[in-house]
Amino acid sequence: MKTKVKFLLTTLSVLALSVSSLFTTVALAEQSGDDSVVDSKTYTVNGFDGYVFNTLYTATVAADFTNEDKVQSFNDLREEIISYIDSVESSISTNVESSSVYAFNQANAGERVEIDKIAYEILTLAKNMCEFTEGYYNPAVYYSVDLYGFAPRSEGQTAPYDRQGGASTALPEAKYITAFQQLSQCFNQVVIEELEGKYYATKPQNAFVQVDGVTYSLKVDLGGIGKGYIVDEVNNMYDKYGFDYGYFTFGSSSIFVNKFYNNDEKTFNLAFTDPRGAYGETYATVKVLDVSISTSGDYEKYYKIDEVRYSHLLNPFTGSPIQTGIMSATVIGGTAAEGDALTTALTAMGRDKAISFINQNLKDYKVVFSYESVNGTQVISNFAGLNLSNAEYQIKSQIDENGNIIYTGNAEEDVPVIPNKSGCNSSIVGGESVLIISLTLTVIACVIAKKGKRCQ
């Protein structure tokens, strides 16, 4: 299926997803100004996209493609990116039976499984981030995610806890919520090791639960942090092949941007999607370049039961979808893989815990999160360059002389919005396999229209 592209005078909007790798060439509008930056007469944008982990990825570079060496470099870059993404999927997919993660997930408690290097590196990173976030990021919420209907499944796959009519028609039984939440807390005990050039992961002996006579062994899903892992490696590939202008986006929730060629500042304008707005509406913008960006939000995949929103973002300490008031969280800086874990964790922490965590641990990052309060929709950030673009949002934070976020709302009265379960009809938005774009990357000439127990 080809990508459908609509050309405007100053805007290029990618309007449709593509399930196969595609090569496209786009000539951007010539801009007067400092020609020492680049020669806009000869620079064009080349890109391709693909679909993996149920997510669209898009690679875009700008260069002088009248130079045959640049064309060859782009072709080599494209082939290396596609090959690398395939290798990561083959390593950490939960559904590919030959993958390392599939083998680990199928193992019994106490069993040691040989895994490949990619799975070893991502699993190690996941354990580190679980510890760093005090357990608020935990990839072992696999069963909890599936319990609420958000995990990818093979065709015809069923489970004892499935609800008649589908996950969006009724809440799961409490016994499953409790059991799967307890099971996820075993993740910190997984042993990952390298021995004589081989890599292994061992499940702890107690990494199982039983419900109604059925045994469930610990499982992980590394897809989220795996996407960031891919983004970081692709960033290195851009450097390897000498491309300084462009960006790579994985589902528009994990991105790196280099430089934009068609303005003097070389910056991209990053717009934040309004989590409660219509498609394409945003609430703030910032200028960025040469940086990784990650975001998580409760509006990407969700359904409603009795007007209560249940999203694919799970709180590891409740075993249920987040109900913290944080609608979206974005981290700018660091690696994309770290960012993916951090944004997931921040949404589960809630407002006060998230602010404390940012102040203590993330002063080298720029963090923005939107918060749905009973007294209005708020933006909380340590990014002084944030510009609001939506009158319904209010910035409720200041930055002190030490770079700490100071909450300026009413900490006691600005409680999160949790609708009453009033017996209203349930509704589903987005579906279980649809990812609504979480960040919209806009540029002058183009717009991508895309506490309980802790890990011990």
Side-chain angles (χ1 to χ4, degrees):
M1 179 174 65
K2 294 184 178 179
T3 300
K4 299 177 182 178
V5 182
K6 180 179 180 181
F7 291 89
L8 302 176
L9 179 62
T10 59
T11 303
L12 169 66
S13 299
V14 178
L15 301 176
L17 304 185
S18 171
V19 296
S20 61
S21 177
L22 178 68
F23 175 77
T24 58
T25 302
V26 181
L28 297 182
E30 181 178 347
Q31 174 177 318
S32 60
D34 184 1
D35 287 338
S36 65
V37 177
V38 294
D39 185 353
S40 60
K41 295 180 180 179
T42 60
Y43 263 56
T44 54
V45 174
N46 287 345
F48 62 93
D49 55 23
Y51 199 73
V52 70
F53 297 124
N54 297 312
T55 307
L56 176 77
Y57 67 84
T58 301
T60 301
V61 297
D64 180 4
F65 287 107
T66 61
N67 183 324
E68 293 184 1
D69 289 340
K70 279 296 181 185
V71 173
Q72 185 59 53
S73 292
F74 176 79
N75 290 335
D76 292 342
L77 171 67
R78 178 181 57 182
E79 294 304 316
E80 187 167 342
I81 289 175
I82 293 171
S83 176
Y84 183 73
I85 291 175
D86 287 345
S87 68
V88 175
E89 182 185 31
S90 297
S91 172
I92 68 170
S93 170
T94 59
N95 292 323
V96 175
E97 294 185 7
S98 59
S99 81
S100 291
V101 166
Y102 186 91
F104 175 83
N105 285 349
Q106 296 303 309
N108 295 320
E111 189 174 343
R112 187 174 79 164
V113 176
E114 184 176 352
I115 58 177
D116 60 33
K117 185 177 181 181
I118 290 175
Y120 169 81
E121 291 180 349
I122 299 176
L123 197 53
T124 299
L125 176 61
K127 280 202 67 178
N128 291 340
M129 294 307 297
C130 178
E131 180 179 0
F132 182 69
T133 62
E134 304 172 19
Y136 283 95
Y137 165 75
N138 186 340
V141 293
Y142 175 94
Y143 281 113
S144 298
V145 174
D146 192 54
L147 180 64
Y148 281 91
F150 294 109
R153 286 188 180 183
S154 302
E155 186 176 355
Q157 182 181 350
T158 61
Y161 45 79
D162 290 347
R163 273 86 76 202
Q164 186 176 5
S168 63
T169 63
L171 294 177
E173 296 180 75
K175 61 185 177 182
Y176 287 109
I177 299 174
T178 300
F180 295 159
Q181 186 277 328
Q182 293 173 348
L183 181 60
S184 71
Q185 301 305 297
C186 296
F187 176 66
N188 63 295
Q189 301 171 35
V190 173
V191 176
I192 311 164
E193 54 192 341
E194 178 184 0
L195 298 172
E196 299 179 347
K198 295 184 178 182
Y199 305 94
Y200 302 92
T202 304
K203 287 186 180 181
Q205 294 285 349
N206 63 339
F208 72 94
V209 293
Q210 289 186 330
V211 183
D212 293 340
V214 179
T215 300
Y216 300 89
S217 178
L218 182 74
K219 290 187 178 183
V220 298
D221 186 344
L222 301 176
I225 200 169
K227 293 169 191 173
Y229 181 87
I230 290 172
V231 169
D232 293 329
E233 184 57 32
V234 171
N235 193 358
N236 293 332
M237 293 178 190
Y238 272 50
D239 293 340
K240 173 183 174 180
Y241 288 100
F243 290 109
D244 297 326
Y245 298 89
Y247 57 87
F248 181 84
T249 172
F250 214 133
S252 293
S253 61
S254 187
I255 303 169
F256 81 78
V257 296
N258 285 343
K259 298 174 179 64
F260 180 54
Y261 85 94
N262 213 12
N263 65 41
D264 294 345
E265 294 178 326
K266 302 181 181 180
T267 56
F268 290 86
N269 193 40
L270 183 70
F272 297 79
T273 291
D274 180 356
R276 299 295 182 263
Y279 181 82
E281 292 184 352
T282 62
Y283 72 84
T285 61
V286 294
K287 292 183 178 182
V288 294
L289 80 161
D290 293 330
V291 73
S292 294
I293 306 146
S294 299
T295 192
S296 295
D298 70 359
Y299 57 98
E300 294 175 338
K301 291 186 288 186
Y302 71 94
Y303 52 77
K304 288 184 176 182
I305 298 178
D306 296 338
E307 293 305 303
V308 178
R309 179 183 299 254
Y310 299 92
S311 81
H312 71 298
L313 296 175
L314 271 287
N315 186 332
F317 299 117
T318 67
S320 298
I322 61 170
Q323 300 283 345
T324 64
I326 296 182
M327 301 179 290
S328 64
T330 298
V331 169
I332 303 172
T335 70
E338 292 171 346
D340 283 347
L342 289 170
T343 56
T344 300
L346 289 170
T347 61
M349 289 179 183
R351 183 195 66 203
D352 295 341
K353 174 64 179 178
I355 292 173
S356 176
F357 183 83
I358 294 166
N359 289 342
Q360 293 177 18
N361 301 292
L362 302 181
K363 287 186 179 179
D364 292 334
Y365 301 76
K366 300 302 182 185
V367 185
V368 182
F369 68 86
S370 59
Y371 175 72
E372 191 175 24
S373 158
V374 295
N375 294 318
T377 311
Q378 305 176 354
V379 181
I380 300 167
S381 179
N382 63 358
F383 199 161
L386 186 71
N387 299 303
L388 286 187
S389 57
N390 188 322
E392 295 183 1
Y393 284 74
Q394 292 183 317
I395 294 179
K396 289 292 184 177
S397 60
Q398 294 178 350
I399 308 168
D400 69 14
E401 65 277 8
N402 297 314
N404 292 312
I405 295 174
I406 305 298
Y407 182 63
T408 59
N410 189 312
E412 293 184 359
E413 294 183 3
D414 292 348
V415 296
V417 172
I418 306 293
N420 271 330
K421 299 181 179 180
S422 58
C424 300
N425 293 330
S426 66
S427 61
I428 184 165
V429 181
E432 296 182 3
S433 62
V434 177
L435 178 65
I436 300 176
I437 294 172
S438 54
L439 288 178
T440 305
L441 185 62
T442 62
V443 297
I444 288 180
C446 57
V447 180
I448 295 303
K450 283 229 311 166
K451 127 156 163 223
K453 296 168 60 178
R454 296 176 178 173
C455 291
Q456 301 295 327

